[in-house]
Amino acid sequence: MTGSVTSRRTVLAGLAALVGGTAVGCGTSGPSTGASGGGGKGSASVWIISGVTEKAFQNSFDSWNSAHSDQRIGVQSFANDPYKQKIRTAVGAGQSPTLIYGWGGGVLNSYVQAGSVDDLSDLAADPQLKGRFLPSIAKAGTVGGKTYALPNNGVKPVMVYYNKDLFAKIGAQPPASWGELMALVPKFKKAGTAPFTVSGQAKWPLLPWLSYLMDRIGGPGVLNDILANKPDAWSNPAVTQANEMIQQLVKADGFVKGFASISTDSGADIALLYTGKAAMSLGLPATYQTIQTADPKFISDGKLGYFPFPTVEGGKGDPANVAGNPSNFWSISASASAAEKAAARAYIKSDLLNAQYAADLLSVGNVPPVANLDAQLAKASDPEYFKAIYELASKAPNFALSLDQALSPQQGDSVLTALQQIFLGEISPKKFASTMNATISA
């Protein structure tokens, strides 16, 4: 599950297409070579993702390269989806860049099992690096108690973002429970407003609905059993109830009409929130960044609100648990040469998420997973929001990684398709369970 941030022109073009009933995704296929690309014999290499954090990554590698002419790191950037396809192929063929950008979870585990990435436990324990990251986030880079990846990006807990003007129009308060949320649906419909906007075209924006409901109903053990590939784990009653609740919300017109064709790459889903056509959106911090880019006055005028995912009456899950992406991570390719690995390890040790790197992330609305960040957050452009994100991530008893990243690549593809079918009413919760159980035994 990844977020995208686009320009106002692109967002409005996407919205116009949506209004015309033909919302279409967009994106680039990359790669493009950064200013520091190439480096000569023995130099390390890295592929980064284009978009809102690209400049922070580029600045960090430019700074490293200017100070280390003998250990340069060549940079290439790719759009998100093309990168995911390309990196899987490259890692499998032993031809990946030295530093491998990832999300942790099932994909990282597959790299570890294949011997494709190095054990970085000694590096993580180095006094110069140890304690730099939030423990709850650094944990996501471990497999079997060993560190194979280290955080390189902002924390990405999913929250509900809402339009304060639309809430005031019907006299509503942010719902604290699922019952309160469902009670708002007819009120927003009566006011001519869609309760929620969501991109069904991209599939992954649907994932946090299932993740949060499974957790709120049954607690983290539900997902843990699924990730452990326990037989029939997807038949857990919490999974079935979660899918039933999703379909109840869809049938109640809880989502904007035509959500199945709405793009998120174009920002059309989020545009419905800040243009007053939808009241809420369940999303990553990319929601905030998209609005900041497309309509910063909406934020500066105090019209954007946010709150944690509601509790479910009678559920076992801790309401402080969160879902999303703890961060992104760097791993080091096991296929790299000794000189390439030495350059990558030296960069991580001295420059990864240093003060300037963290400041660059904050400047684009990304909260870095760095310990003791309170002073920097207080000086940020929107300290109340950034502090909320930081505390949500750092204090969560459990941070569930997005299903498409937590599962193996094949299971991740399956859950995206099956969950979209749940939202579209094409399959029952029982069929969803049997479909996903089959991926365990496959």
Side-chain angles (χ1 to χ4, degrees), residues 3-28:
S4 63
V5 180
T6 51
S7 69
R8 179 177 179 82
R9 184 172 60 180
T10 303
V11 167
L12 293 180
L15 180 59
L18 171 65
V19 171
T22 56
V24 178
C26 66
T28 57

Side-chain angles (χ1 to χ4, degrees), residues 387-412:
K387 185 177 180 181
I389 291 290
Y390 189 71
E391 291 190 346
L392 197 65
S394 60
K395 296 182 177 179
N398 186 70
F399 197 139
L401 178 61
S402 302
L403 281 166
D404 59 339
Q405 299 301 325
L407 297 167
S408 70
Q410 293 76 19
Q411 289 177 312

Side-chain angles (χ1 to χ4, degrees), residues 16-62:
L18 171 65
V19 171
T22 56
V24 178
C26 66
T28 57
S29 58
S32 59
T33 303
S36 57
K41 185 178 180 181
S43 296
S45 57
V46 63
W47 295 348
I48 61 176
I49 304 296
S50 59
V52 66
T53 55
E54 182 177 3
K55 191 171 187 297
F57 287 121
Q58 189 68 60
N59 286 348
S60 180
F61 288 116
D62 284 349

Side-chain angles (χ1 to χ4, degrees), residues 83-281:
Y83 170 81
K84 287 181 177 177
Q85 295 297 324
K86 188 174 179 66
I87 193 65
R88 286 186 194 179
T89 302
V91 171
Q95 297 178 345
S96 65
T98 313
L99 284 166
I100 301 173
Y101 183 97
W103 287 260
V107 175
L108 176 61
N109 185 52
S110 70
Y111 292 167
V112 172
Q113 300 309 318
S116 301
V117 293
D118 276 1
D119 181 354
L120 304 179
S121 297
D122 64 316
L123 187 58
D126 188 285
Q128 189 174 340
L129 198 62
K130 187 177 182 180
R132 187 181 301 175
F133 312 114
L134 291 173
S136 61
I137 305 302
K139 183 180 177 183
T142 64
V143 176
K146 296 181 179 179
T147 297
Y148 290 91
L150 292 161
N152 66 13
N153 206 340
V155 296
K156 298 179 176 65
V158 169
M159 289 197 298
V160 180
Y161 293 83
Y162 71 99
N163 184 318
K164 289 184 177 179
D165 284 349
L166 297 180
F167 267 60
K169 186 177 178 181
I170 65 166
Q173 295 295 321
S177 68
W178 184 259
E180 291 180 8
L181 183 151
M182 291 298 293
L184 289 179
V185 171
K187 295 179 180 178
F188 279 120
K189 286 175 58 181
K190 186 177 180 180
T193 302
F196 279 95
T197 177
V198 70
S199 167
Q201 184 189 70
K203 299 181 184 175
W204 63 258
L206 308 176
L207 291 173
W209 286 97
L210 179 60
S211 293
Y212 265 124
L213 285 169
M214 288 195 312
D215 180 88
R216 294 292 190 263
I217 296 167
V222 180
L223 179 59
N224 291 340
D225 285 349
I226 289 171
L227 298 181
N229 282 325
K230 290 187 176 179
D232 297 326
W234 291 94
S235 293
N236 188 302
V239 181
T240 300
Q241 184 181 344
N243 280 323
E244 289 172 348
M245 293 166 72
I246 289 170
Q247 292 192 325
Q248 288 167 359
L249 183 57
V250 173
K251 289 178 181 176
D253 292 331
F255 297 98
V256 63
K257 292 186 182 301
F259 71 85
S261 62
I262 296 177
S263 164
T264 193
D265 287 340
S266 69
D269 52 345
I270 307 305
L272 294 173
L273 177 69
Y274 64 78
T275 58
K277 295 179 175 59
M280 296 173 276
S281 179

